[in-house]
Amino acid sequence: MTDDLITALRSTGAVRGFTADVVDDATVAAILDDARFAPSGGNRQPWRVAVVRDPAVRHAMGDLMRPVWQEYAGAQAAGHRAFAFGRSVDAPPVPAPNALIDGIEAVPVVLAVAADLRDIAIMDGNVTHGPAVVGGASIYPFCWSVLLAARARGLGGVLTTFLSRNEAAAAPLLGLPEHHALVATIFLGVPTHRPTRLSRRPVNSFAT
């Protein structure tokens, strides 16, 4: 692997603050053009992306994400892992600010990513440990490739899933097709600050 690739892998952290610089349509198209080479089960490429520009739609997305964020913040404040195994926690929501959600209309690029469930093999669908998770292997590499392709163009970004909690209400806003699941919202832009020293657990803490 090249030094540049190693550097990107070790330093592409979540970016949640963006300048007012515009990211043009050609750049967004180029990012998606690179990301489409991500791997997926059976090469089914189940992703579908909405580039959300309409301020009213963005505002509505923020309104749907805000109570989920506040529930998340409330659970964390009470010492719980919010939404573990998809469950809510009996803790009061906290009206904490969230710069991305509160300022969603000003974010340079907002992408809503969906997956066609008919094209994903859910290998753990009959496992009793809780919600099925392995189907994400066919969609989240694409999302990560979006972030890496953005990084290669001097941009930063973050993947969020708060909107997925309110998928039923978000679906008509985004034109979510039948049989599709809303798997991520990705924010992109020129970063106000790019993290360069990421904190991660050492290999011997998770590998045996």
Side-chain angles (χ1 to χ4, degrees):
M1 290 187 285
T2 67
D3 290 343
D4 287 346
L5 178 55
I6 293 296
T7 298
L9 289 172
R10 296 178 70 98
S11 62
T12 303
V15 172
R16 296 179 174 87
F18 306 108
T19 71
D21 293 358
V22 174
V23 179
D24 59 38
D25 291 347
T27 299
V28 175
I31 289 169
L32 296 176
D33 190 43
D34 287 340
R36 68 191 173 94
F37 288 95
S40 60
N43 195 26
R44 299 293 292 180
Q45 304 168 50
W47 43 80
R48 188 179 180 100
V49 180
V51 183
V52 185
R53 298 190 183 95
D54 188 328
V57 174
R58 288 187 177 200
H59 185 85
M61 291 168 66
D63 286 345
L64 291 173
M65 285 189 277
R66 191 169 295 107
V68 181
W69 159 249
Q70 292 174 352
E71 185 180 356
Y72 178 91
Q76 297 291 91
H80 301 289
R81 183 58 180 146
F83 305 129
F85 281 93
R87 294 188 296 267
S88 295
V89 173
D90 187 17
V94 173
N98 184 304
L100 271 181
I101 293 173
D102 298 338
I104 189 172
E105 288 125 303
V107 175
V109 180
V110 176
L111 306 177
V113 183
D116 188 338
L117 298 177
R118 297 167 296 183
D119 280 333
I120 296 178
I122 310 295
M123 296 296 186
D124 58 347
N126 62 345
V127 177
T128 59
H129 59 53
V133 296
V134 301
S138 283
I139 186 65
Y140 290 115
F142 170 78
C143 296
W144 180 233
S145 292
V146 168
L147 293 170
L148 288 177
R151 162 68 184 265
R153 291 167 173 82
L155 305 178
V158 63
L159 180 155
T160 75
T161 54
F162 289 112
L163 191 59
S164 297
R165 185 99 174 148
N166 276 330
E167 180 185 290
L173 286 171
L174 300 171
L176 187 69
E178 187 179 6
H179 305 301
H180 284 63
L182 180 62
V183 297
T185 307
I186 298 177
F187 300 94
L188 301 174
V190 177
T192 54
H193 170 72
R194 185 184 294 282
T196 56
R197 295 180 62 86
L198 305 182
S199 175
R200 299 293 187 266
R201 293 181 294 145
V203 171
N204 63 11
S205 73
F206 61 81
T208 58

